[in-house]
Amino acid sequence: MDVEDPAPSATPSLHDIKTALYARCATLPAETIFSQDDLLELGIIPNNAVDLLFGCTKKLTEEGLFKLLQQDNRAVWRVVKKEDAQKYKTLTPDEAITYSIIESVGREGIWIRILTHKTGLPASILAKCLKTLEGKNYIKQVKTVKFPTRKTYMLAGLQPSEEATGGPFYTDGVLDDEFVHQMARWTERFVVGRSWYVPDPHHQPQRAKKSSAHHGPASKQRLESERNSALEHPSSSVRKGSKELLPFPPGYTGYPTISEITQAINQSGLSPVTMKEAEMKQLLDVLVWDGRVEKNRFFGGYKAVKQAALEVMNKQKPPRDKEEGDRAEDGLTGRSALTEAPCGRCPVLAFCAEGGPVNARTCEYFAEWLEI
């Protein structure tokens, strides 16, 4: 008995191929740009027939589901959502051109003068198109921080970019002074807490004594041990009852970085929006310019200056002049710049002598302090 050959499979129609091509492209990110090779690599076009591909792209472009663009002097396409394609069917040619240009700028928006130039429409016709598009809730007018008096338009469903709105420090295009002030004060207090400390008056270790023949020469190991112990308790060299505000010892690496500051302020709940490092850098730059904090160029951390730390710790208004702040009889007081150097806070300074186990020539703490 003869076996009949199976009937050849029917060749898919242009409509079926077009529908399959659109469905496959729609699964990729919305801003994906497709070249001819990209579309062929999807494996939708039978035998990679270029003529058949062009027929599909032409039909999809006519239906508004593909948008024809030009990139590097070649034709490329971008997928248009079906609901957006439906909008174009309800628009006049002038309105469609206007809407297409506004759509292309995304969240940045477009100034009406540039829109007039790109559409080539007379001002009266463009104004009518914009009014119609706004009435259908297709577009909206927004106010930008850089140019608040300019008429700027974007799609109604988009949120303006941070560059346009100014970020979290602006509300409706106006700088929120109170919010900026609160964020700056919180940031300053956080940096102060990681830059200075109030010594504990109850911790009173014994003072170091000079070595003598009776006690024997002081060994370098013992001096190292005494200094390390003092660094673990920075308040050891401060007299009882002192209210001095002291910097951390040489080698301290706890000064906060911009990443730590950003993370801390987001966890504090002070800001209703999540702050980014770039936005916090703007705030820290203001504090640097105001002379409240300074940036360490070696490891990128921030340190509060002494006067700012005194004002924060004393919870007082900034003094009229620096000398008034340094006196601060009833509050915390600062120390001289000598405390910043290793010698100013060295607990074994009494043993430091030329040729001794501790001396200026071989002091490793200077190298650590100067980071050399």
Side-chain angles (χ1 to χ4, degrees):
M1 181 176 62
D2 296 336
V3 178
E4 295 182 0
D5 294 333
S9 58
T11 303
S13 64
L14 179 63
H15 178 271
D16 294 336
I17 299 174
K18 168 185 69 72
T19 302
L21 180 63
Y22 177 82
R24 180 68 180 89
C25 293
T27 62
L28 300 175
E31 298 302 321
T32 303
I33 300 298
F34 298 94
S35 65
Q36 172 183 312
D37 293 337
D38 294 332
L39 294 175
L40 291 174
E41 289 176 0
L42 295 177
I44 305 297
I45 306 300
N47 302 320
N48 286 341
V50 176
D51 293 342
L52 184 57
L53 173 64
F54 284 157
C56 292
T57 55
K58 180 181 178 182
K59 191 66 176 177
L60 288 169
T61 303
E62 292 174 351
E63 294 176 358
L65 297 175
F66 266 20
K67 187 171 185 179
L68 179 61
L69 305 172
Q70 187 173 6
Q71 187 180 73
D72 298 332
N73 295 324
R74 61 175 182 172
V76 294
W77 295 267
R78 179 169 62 84
V79 174
V80 178
K81 295 181 180 180
K82 290 185 177 181
E83 52 268 28
D84 291 336
Q86 190 64 32
K87 293 179 181 178
Y88 281 97
K89 295 180 180 180
T90 65
L91 303 177
T92 65
D94 291 340
E95 293 169 352
I97 293 174
T98 304
Y99 181 83
S100 175
I101 294 175
I102 296 176
E103 181 185 29
S104 65
V105 298
R107 299 174 60 209
E108 300 300 324
I110 185 170
W111 183 24
I112 190 172
R113 182 175 296 181
I114 298 178
L115 184 60
T116 302
H117 174 73
K118 287 191 173 184
T119 60
L121 298 174
S124 58
I125 296 179
L126 179 60
K128 184 178 179 181
C129 292
L130 292 172
K131 184 177 181 180
T132 301
L133 292 172
E134 282 189 278
K136 293 182 177 180
N137 198 30
Y138 287 177
I139 65 171
K140 63 182 177 181
Q141 185 176 341
V142 295
K143 183 183 294 185
T144 63
V145 172
K146 291 184 178 180
F147 309 104
T149 59
R150 291 183 177 181
K151 286 186 177 182
T152 305
Y153 293 89
M154 69 171 50
L155 296 185
L158 299 179
Q159 291 295 327
S161 65
E162 293 183 358
E163 183 178 354
T165 61
F169 301 124
Y170 288 80
T171 302
D172 296 331
V174 180
L175 181 66
D176 191 339
D177 293 327
E178 181 61 26
F179 178 69
V180 173
H181 177 76
Q182 291 178 358
M183 295 285 286
R185 295 289 73 80
W186 191 98
T187 303
E188 185 179 32
R189 287 196 298 270
F190 181 79
V191 177
V192 166
R194 298 274 295 270
S195 304
W196 303 80
Y197 73 96
V198 180
D200 181 6
H202 301 293
H203 184 78
Q204 292 296 321
Q206 295 180 354
R207 288 180 173 272
K209 296 181 179 179
K210 289 188 177 181
S211 61
S212 61
H214 178 72
H215 293 91
S219 67
K220 183 176 181 180
Q221 290 79 4
R222 181 164 64 85
L223 297 181
E224 289 281 356
S225 177
E226 291 183 15
R227 177 174 174 83
N228 291 336
S229 176
L231 292 180
E232 292 177 0
H233 304 282
S235 58
S236 61
S237 60
V238 183
R239 67 182 182 277
K240 186 176 181 179
S242 172
K243 292 184 178 181
E244 290 176 311
L245 186 66
L246 303 179
F248 284 101
Y252 173 70
T253 58
Y255 298 112
T257 63
I258 189 170
S259 298
E260 295 172 334
I261 296 172
T262 304
Q263 182 180 4
I265 206 164
N266 285 330
Q267 293 176 349
S268 70
L270 180 63
S271 173
V273 298
T274 301
M275 301 296 295
K276 299 178 181 178
E277 290 187 11
E279 297 161 350
M280 289 306 302
K281 186 179 184 303
Q282 296 176 4
L283 199 63
L284 287 164
D285 287 343
V286 173
L287 292 174
V288 171
W289 294 331
D290 289 344
R292 309 294 293 178
V293 302
E294 55 188 9
K295 185 176 182 181
N296 187 299
R297 66 179 183 274
F298 295 106
F299 60 87
Y302 288 86
K303 177 184 177 182
V305 301
K306 180 183 69 175
Q307 188 59 45
L310 290 171
E311 294 166 9
V312 170
M313 291 294 190
N314 288 323
K315 297 181 181 180
Q316 63 182 18
K317 295 181 179 179
R320 295 181 180 178
D321 54 59
K322 188 176 184 299
E323 294 182 356
E324 179 184 348
D326 286 337
R327 289 193 291 269
E329 297 179 357
D330 296 330
L332 297 167
T333 59
R335 302 192 80 182
S336 67
L338 182 60
T339 59
E340 296 282 353
C343 294
R345 304 189 56 211
C346 183
V348 291
L349 182 63
F351 299 100
C352 186
E354 184 68 25
V358 178
N359 61 79
R361 291 180 181 273
T362 61
C363 181
E364 62 184 74
Y365 304 111
F366 269 113
E368 180 182 353
W369 179 55
L370 297 173
E371 297 186 6
I372 59 177

